[in-house]
Amino acid sequence: MRVAVAGGTGLVGRYVVEELVAGGQEPVVLSRSRGVDLLVGGAGLDAALDGVEAVVDVSNVTTVGARKSAAFFGTVGRNLLDAGARAGVRHHVVLSIVGIDRVGLGYYQGKLRQEAVVKEGPVPWTVLRATQFHEFAGQTLDRVPKPLAVVPRMRTQPVAAREVAQHLVRLATGPAQGMAPDLAGPRVEQLVDMVRRLLRARHERRLVLPVRMPGAVGAGMNGDGLLPVAGETGPRGVQTYDEWLAQQVAQGRIARGG
């Protein structure tokens, strides 16, 4: 089975490609390095999707702004769906985020736009909302210049990116489900605490400044807004943040700071 992966060179995308290969599937990476532009007219998409039965969209953009996020995800989504319909793609799978309809961050507005485009599109679809990855602590930390570490107060139930990829592959090789049950990690964490543990693992000394975002956004982030809805059942990852962190240290993937 040929499965195209939009964002196949990114964090989750690389794992999706590995899982497809391990399962005997044929991944097709959609990226500029492979002659495919997901934004500018979807250049190269028609040729890349020839013979593809399913598309997994884990493409991403680095922004906190609603306008840029919505423009990116809306355009990429439409280009993928239109080309997929022309190619006879039977299943379009999108990775989204738990709680984006409850916490009004600008980036989340783009993900909501992506979901809407998929739901209105011509290809049978599945949307998987997942919680933040274990790598999110490092991404947050690395956006702030030393010696400070300004970290928003945020409760999350982080999940291993590889486990997300495994779930996406299971979905992509099955029938379309619409909105799939939310995927989360095994336990709830406070982002500030995750960052502190990461700093200790890096042997890096920085002053951590917890910040609560203002208004309803801050209340949602520091409350249950980004967690799976209480009482709703859904798949749960196995690897905890501490287990992932220990694995990264053992494999030499945690850069030592000063």
Side-chain angles (χ1 to χ4, degrees):
M1 179 178 181
R2 283 170 61 86
V3 180
V5 185
T9 58
L11 172 63
V12 179
R14 292 193 301 271
Y15 287 135
V16 170
V17 170
E18 290 178 7
E19 293 297 326
L20 286 167
V21 171
Q25 314 298 338
E26 180 184 354
V28 178
V29 176
L30 305 179
S31 68
R32 288 183 180 178
S33 64
R34 308 294 177 91
V36 177
D37 192 325
L38 298 175
L39 280 171
V40 184
L45 265 178
D46 285 336
L49 294 182
D50 183 37
V52 164
E53 296 181 57
V55 170
V56 177
D57 184 5
V58 289
S59 60
N60 195 26
V61 62
T62 303
T63 183
V64 296
R67 181 176 298 179
K68 184 176 179 180
S69 179
F72 175 86
F73 287 114
T75 300
V76 169
R78 284 190 298 271
N79 286 339
L80 283 171
L81 288 161
D82 290 347
R86 292 192 295 270
V89 169
R90 296 186 294 182
H91 193 183
H92 187 94
V93 180
V94 169
L95 176 61
S96 192
I97 305 169
V98 170
I100 57 175
D101 49 352
R102 290 176 270 140
V103 177
L105 289 174
Y107 175 80
Y108 293 170
Q109 300 307 305
K111 295 299 289 184
L112 285 171
R113 178 60 187 149
Q114 180 186 41
E115 290 185 4
V117 167
V118 169
K119 293 173 185 178
E120 297 163 0
V123 179
W125 57 274
T126 299
V127 170
L128 173 67
R129 288 182 174 182
T131 51
Q132 285 70 28
F133 312 136
H134 295 322
E135 288 86 354
F136 186 68
Q139 293 168 348
T140 301
L141 182 61
D142 293 340
R143 283 196 289 263
V144 182
K146 298 178 181 180
L148 299 180
V150 181
V151 183
R153 289 196 175 276
M154 177 177 135
R155 295 178 75 227
T156 180
Q157 197 166 327
V159 63
R162 181 174 291 279
E163 292 180 324
V164 175
Q166 291 168 347
H167 201 68
L168 285 168
V169 169
R170 284 194 291 269
L171 290 172
T173 53
Q177 294 187 20
M179 294 299 297
D182 290 349
L183 172 63
R187 56 184 289 185
V188 176
E189 302 275 3
Q190 170 57 247
L191 179 61
V192 174
D193 296 333
M194 292 170 64
V195 167
R196 288 191 173 114
R197 278 134 69 190
L198 177 60
L199 286 170
R200 286 196 295 271
R202 289 181 175 182
H203 300 278
E204 184 175 343
R205 299 182 67 178
R206 294 174 68 172
L207 178 61
V208 177
L209 297 178
V211 175
R212 175 164 171 159
M213 300 290 284
V217 169
M221 290 175 65
N222 200 42
D224 296 337
L226 297 176
L227 303 178
V229 175
E232 289 189 2
T233 59
R236 296 292 178 263
V238 175
Q239 188 181 48
T240 67
Y241 177 69
D242 286 334
E243 289 169 343
W244 172 85
L245 195 56
Q247 181 186 64
Q248 297 299 299
V249 171
Q251 295 175 348
R253 296 181 180 180
I254 295 291
R256 295 172 67 94

